[in-house]
Amino acid sequence: MAVREGEHRKPIHLGAHFPGVNNTTVWQVPEAGSQVDFASFEHLARVAEDARFDFFFLAEGLRLREHLGRIHDLDVVGRPDTFTVLAALAAVTDRLGLAGTINTTFNEPFEVARQFATLDHLSAGRAAWNMVTSSDAFTGANFRRGGFLPHADRYRRAAEFITVAQRFWDAWDAAAPQRVVHRGEQFTVDGYPELPRSPQGHPVLLQAGDSADGREFGARHADAIFTRHGTLEAGREFYADIKARAAAHGRNPDHLKVFPAATFVIGDSRAEADEKARHIRLLQVGPQTAINFLEQVWGRDLSDYDPDGPVPQEDPTFDAVTQGRTRQGDPREIAARYRARAEAGGLSIRELVIEMTARQQFVGTPEQVADGIDRYVQADACDGFILVPHLTPTGLDDLAARVVPILQERGAFRTEYEGTTLRDHLGLPPLSAAGSERRTG
């Protein structure tokens, strides 16, 4: 396996994911902080900027999930509005990129283009948009249209959405705003932008989607891809595929960055780190969480099962017991795979869920974690990582203090910001007044 070395090394890029309503965040410990208090967002952002991270990443959901008719436990902590949080962070940071997740299915291009242009001006060119789609009627019930969009059309709408948004971003040159007229399958627009071009031209565009349509959309439109391909082999395969797709669209593949999500646990020794990681996983997957997760796979109420007992033998259904979370694949095939793994390892339900839901983790001493991050980047499995702490808001502190300096000493990560915009941080070329440098077809 080829690994870049010396003058051929790639710079490492790092994003900081705000830990919130997901199954990696630990809430049961005294040091766990608030999900809605601005001090939590500010703490993570300041730590990330002091460590010279590329950007702060904020996820978003448009409806609280429900499990068997009840609000999902992790969602009761609340979901603040993305633009409000990022605009506030723009006032307490100077260089850190500010990336927010905004849906293309239940919003309008003019409104989103205006909001991101505003954030880009307020932050002096540090805004990024994680473009996501949704096709489920459950989320749509919070909106006027409900579940109006067939699953197959979600990326068609998203592509047209981005096109219209970009036209608004490009329609105000140094002289005056220009009229935007668009008539398409999804949108009919006739108006003017309300803001001149922002310091970086357009916000940086991020995208997360692993289907064939998702990959094509990202390869054509995104500046960076957020992926769950965590192992080295899977990462290399995805990296090669998405870069080839970008080239097929007439783009320079180096201008599309790939960011897997990654968790991390640091100890003074590998044994200590392994023990900490085991303890964290037990906190993340408690008895009730294990049952809830298996209910999502089996599509039925399993509350009578012992989380420390064996996996169910009955077949799953195709029913969705958790609203707001998409089931992946044929449940019968998934259940068969789960049973086989449990039988091979003699695993209980809880032990099985802990093993099957573990994401790629960097576990070890600061030197070992630094080695792992650098190896993935130099082996072309990614261009960097969006790091997901397990604790709000101090989960990044240890890595920033103990791992980042090692990467800096090795020349693998910046010691100072060299530019002012997020496009500068990511090594992306400037945009011309006519729009993107990359879209040629």
Side-chain angles (χ1 to χ4, degrees):
M1 178 180 65
V3 176
R4 298 169 186 256
E5 297 179 346
E7 63 182 14
H8 301 293
R9 294 175 68 95
K10 294 191 300 182
I12 294 173
H13 297 283
L14 295 176
H17 188 293
F18 182 79
V21 287
N22 57 63
N23 62 351
T24 62
T25 308
V26 171
W27 299 104
Q28 308 96 311
V29 295
E31 56 268 36
S34 171
Q35 159 74 10
V36 298
D37 190 333
F38 180 66
S40 293
F41 298 101
E42 183 178 7
H43 179 93
L44 183 73
R46 287 189 183 277
V47 169
E49 184 166 74
D50 288 344
R52 304 301 186 257
F53 273 48
D54 292 71
F55 58 90
F56 170 102
F57 181 87
L58 188 61
E60 182 180 72
L62 294 179
R63 181 165 177 174
L64 299 183
R65 294 165 291 179
E66 295 178 15
H67 183 77
L68 291 172
R70 300 182 303 274
I71 297 297
H72 194 276
D73 287 349
L74 291 177
D75 280 7
V76 299
V77 295
R79 292 174 177 266
D81 175 71
T82 295
F83 281 114
T84 306
V85 172
L86 296 183
L89 289 177
V92 297
T93 56
D94 294 316
R95 297 293 183 89
L96 184 70
L98 302 170
T101 302
I102 297 295
N103 195 289
T104 61
T105 305
F106 300 113
N107 289 296
E108 294 294 326
F110 166 76
E111 180 181 34
V112 171
R114 179 172 177 262
Q115 289 169 315
F116 269 112
T118 300
L119 179 62
D120 217 26
H121 278 287
L122 291 177
S123 64
R126 296 184 283 131
W129 175 11
N130 180 37
M131 309 171 289
V132 296
T133 67
S134 177
S135 62
D136 65 282
F138 175 77
T139 300
N142 267 351
F143 296 86
R144 174 172 56 87
R145 299 179 190 81
F148 79 103
L149 190 66
H151 185 278
D153 290 343
R154 60 179 184 162
Y155 281 114
R156 293 170 62 187
R157 176 184 170 90
E160 191 173 334
F161 193 113
I162 300 304
T163 298
V164 177
Q166 288 170 332
R167 291 190 64 185
F168 277 110
W169 289 329
D170 291 334
W172 191 324
D173 59 21
Q178 305 299 312
R179 188 170 183 170
V180 175
V181 179
H182 172 89
R183 291 179 175 83
E185 183 180 276
Q186 297 288 336
F187 305 103
T188 298
V189 175
D190 186 343
Y192 290 87
E194 293 196 333
L195 289 167
R197 283 174 63 85
S198 65
Q200 57 179 354
H202 297 176
V204 169
L205 299 179
L206 284 71
Q207 187 263 348
D210 195 38
S211 66
D213 288 342
R215 292 189 185 201
E216 279 298 299
F217 178 81
R220 185 178 184 88
H221 296 283
D223 298 303
I225 300 290
F226 183 19
T227 171
R228 293 180 180 271
H229 290 275
T231 67
L232 188 65
E233 181 179 353
R236 285 170 59 85
E237 291 176 358
F238 178 83
Y239 189 92
D241 177 70
I242 203 71
K243 296 280 185 167
R245 290 173 187 260
H249 285 294
R251 300 181 56 184
N252 181 339
D254 291 340
H255 299 164
L256 176 61
K257 306 301 182 183
V258 177
F259 288 90
T263 59
F264 54 91
V265 181
I266 302 167
D268 292 332
S269 67
R270 180 56 192 259
E272 179 186 313
D274 286 338
E275 177 57 28
K276 287 175 63 176
R278 187 193 70 81
H279 179 65
I280 290 168
R281 290 300 289 146
L282 288 171
L283 291 173
Q284 290 168 332
V285 186
Q288 188 57 51
T289 300
I291 293 296
N292 288 353
F293 182 87
L294 216 64
E295 287 173 337
Q296 295 173 34
V297 175
W298 256 256
R300 63 172 77 233
D301 186 340
L302 301 176
S303 57
D304 290 338
Y305 278 81
D306 180 358
D308 294 318
V311 174
Q313 292 304 306
E314 67 259 42
D315 289 332
T317 74
F318 283 84
D319 297 335
V321 299
T322 300
Q323 299 291 330
R325 176 173 289 168
T326 304
R327 299 178 80 183
Q328 303 290 339
D330 187 327
R332 293 167 300 186
E333 295 177 0
I334 297 172
R337 187 167 70 249
Y338 276 43
R339 284 198 200 101
R341 184 66 194 90
E343 291 171 3
L347 304 177
S348 68
I349 289 175
R350 188 181 182 193
E351 291 168 335
L352 175 68
V353 172
I354 287 174
E355 182 165 316
M356 299 300 287
T357 61
R359 295 182 182 179
Q360 166 63 36
Q361 285 190 326
F362 294 111
V363 179
T365 65
E367 291 79 8
Q368 290 169 333
V369 172
D371 286 343
I373 291 172
D374 194 26
R375 181 168 180 256
Y376 271 67
V377 173
Q378 305 313 328
D380 283 343
C382 61
D383 294 298
F385 288 93
I386 296 180
L387 296 172
V388 186
H390 71 275
L391 195 62
T392 304
T394 59
L396 191 66
D397 294 11
D398 205 24
L399 184 139
R402 304 179 68 188
V403 176
V404 169
I406 295 173
L407 294 173
Q408 292 171 330
E409 288 171 4
R410 297 177 181 179
F413 190 66
R414 68 172 67 89
T415 56
E416 295 294 341
Y417 291 112
E418 296 180 1
T420 59
T421 71
L422 180 53
R423 295 189 69 84
D424 293 335
H425 304 343
L426 294 173
L428 300 175
L431 298 178
S432 69
S436 171
E437 49 79 34
R438 57 187 179 276
R439 292 172 184 85
T440 58

